[in-house]
Amino acid sequence: MALILDGLKIRDQILKECQPRVAALEAARCLPGLAVILAGDNPASEIYVRNKVKACQELGIYSEKLTPPETVTTAQLIEMVESLNARPEIDGILVQMPLPKQVDAKRVLLAINPDKDVDGFHPLNLGRLVTNTPGPRACTPSGIMELLKRYNIPIAGKHAVVVGRSDIVGKPMALMLLHQHATVTICHSRTSNLAAVCREADILVAAIGQPAFITAEFIKPGATVIDVGINRLTSREQVASIFRNAPDKLATFEKRGSVLVGDVNPIDVAERAGAYTPVPGGVGPLTVAMLMANTVEAAERRLDVCSA
Ligand code: GUN
């Protein structure tokens, strides 16, 4: 039986390690503060942001949410970011992606003070990632690295295949695995013989955004499979087919009208992988935990600067 890599367990470990750090910062009158900008109405983003704000509350971190409308302009978002840059009690600024289509996301990210860039999306911090120098790192891939480390999954010398080339997950994931001495292949929508390339992977990371796209033929027996996808299935036929008529999933569908599935076929991965992350309960919780860790770290840097 494949080992299930429990993201909730690792999230709890990471958050527990943050607790004494938050207490020490509070005692030093330097409570960490996170500002989240959620522009427009994207239901998935609303859920992600709600989870981020809830995690702050549970950890005792100050947070505030700014919700400009769908019609917001690039200039207005830059102005918002600049006013957050100027507030010393705000350690982290997170601009939830994707932004409304008229907004130039790259210009908005460039406006964030790199010291407050708790998502690691600013070009300066991306440069630090490329050169493997310290700095805030993108939360989803850094959470995956924590998961692999804490489960003692070997990386050095292994072949890692990352499916997906986004700035948020695919590219930083590939670099982090490379820095741990994996041999890394990045695949995308135009890769030929995708299944054959994936079947070479000792570590397979799926960040595609297509439900149950990775099936048995993509998975080398015994591989570690990391599923970054969160897709909502709203057709009963799809649920029945992907979950092979599993009664619990069909019951969930009848009750809620939808079922979550990752980018990896959940039955195939359980049968073929050596270890894998489930959906839900795998990668998702780690992203939030790493955001908390990045925010705490930004506050610790502020305290260092203040007390220097
Ligand atoms: N959209 C999807 N994932 C993320 C993330 O980690 N950070 C931000 N800002 N937006 C996202």
Side-chain angles (χ1 to χ4, degrees), residues 239-306:
V239 174
S241 147
I242 289 173
F243 289 95
R244 294 193 213 155
N245 291 313
D248 58 329
K249 294 293 170 182
L250 287 170
T252 303
F253 180 80
E254 302 304 343
K255 198 165 134 205
R256 300 207 188 129
S258 68
V259 170
L260 291 182
V261 71
D263 290 349
V264 178
N265 183 292
I267 315 262
D268 289 358
V269 77
E271 284 175 2
R272 265 174 95 88
Y276 69 98
T277 58
V279 175
V283 171
L286 297 169
T287 302
V288 179
M290 296 315 288
L291 174 67
M292 296 302 107
N294 282 352
T295 306
V296 170
E297 210 165 300
E300 287 169 346
R301 277 197 307 271
R302 165 159 64 104
L303 182 60
D304 277 350
V305 172
C306 294

Side-chain angles (χ1 to χ4, degrees), residues 45 48 52 94-98 109 119 121 138-140 168-169 287:
S45 291
Y48 297 145
K52 290 170 185 181
L94 181 148
V95 180
Q96 186 67 27
M97 299 291 151
L109 293 178
D119 255 330
F121 292 169
C139 300
T140 300
I168 293 179
V169 181
T287 302

Side-chain angles (χ1 to χ4, degrees), residues 35-276:
V36 182
I37 300 180
L38 170 63
D41 352 276
N42 178 322
S45 291
E46 277 168 27
I47 295 170
Y48 297 145
V49 166
R50 196 186 310 145
N51 289 339
K52 290 170 185 181
V53 170
K54 186 161 159 257
C56 285
Q57 287 163 349
E58 283 167 7
L59 199 56
I61 289 181
Y62 171 77
S63 69
E64 64 184 53
K65 188 170 90 171
L66 294 88
T67 53
E70 187 72 33
T71 51
V72 72
T73 64
T74 305
Q76 286 167 332
L77 281 174
I78 290 176
E79 202 179 306
M80 259 180 187
V81 166
E82 282 171 350
S83 74
L84 293 166
N85 282 343
R87 287 173 54 192
E89 79 282 14
I90 296 295
D91 296 289
I93 303 169
L94 181 148
V95 180
Q96 186 67 27
M97 299 291 151
L99 287 171
K101 57 183 181 316
Q102 74 280 7
V103 173
D104 184 341
K106 287 198 162 79
R107 281 184 58 207
V108 176
L109 293 178
L110 194 60
I112 298 174
N113 175 346
D115 291 337
K116 299 191 177 193
D117 171 34
V118 283
D119 255 330
F121 292 169
H122 187 284
L124 179 74
N125 290 322
L126 292 171
R128 287 172 167 152
L129 168 61
V130 171
T131 53
N132 201 17
T133 47
R137 299 286 198 254
C139 300
T140 300
S142 64
I144 293 168
M145 295 308 286
E146 278 298 323
L147 180 85
L148 294 173
K149 185 167 98 188
R150 292 174 192 238
Y151 272 100
N152 295 312
I153 308 257
I155 301 174
K158 300 297 179 190
H159 188 184
V161 174
V162 179
V163 191
R165 55 176 158 178
S166 71
D167 290 348
I168 293 179
V169 181
K171 284 186 226 168
M173 182 82 260
L175 285 162
M176 289 178 201
L177 289 162
L178 178 68
H179 294 324
Q180 293 301 315
H181 317 291
T183 301
V184 182
T185 303
I186 305 178
C187 297
H188 46 80
S189 50
R190 305 225 189 147
T191 298
S192 340
N193 300 323
L194 181 61
V197 179
C198 291
R199 222 165 33 238
E200 294 293 312
D202 302 303
I203 299 170
L204 178 62
V205 182
I208 314 155
Q210 289 195 47
F213 181 87
I214 301 289
T215 48
E217 55 165 349
F218 291 67
I219 302 169
K220 174 166 150 175
T224 297
V225 180
I226 306 295
D227 190 350
V228 183
I230 304 177
N231 309 291
R232 196 171 284 282
L233 300 176
T234 52
S235 120
R236 192 182 191 283
E237 289 65 41
Q238 240 186 338
V239 174
S241 147
I242 289 173
F243 289 95
R244 294 193 213 155
N245 291 313
D248 58 329
K249 294 293 170 182
L250 287 170
T252 303
F253 180 80
E254 302 304 343
K255 198 165 134 205
R256 300 207 188 129
S258 68
V259 170
L260 291 182
V261 71
D263 290 349
V264 178
N265 183 292
I267 315 262
D268 289 358
V269 77
E271 284 175 2
R272 265 174 95 88
Y276 69 98

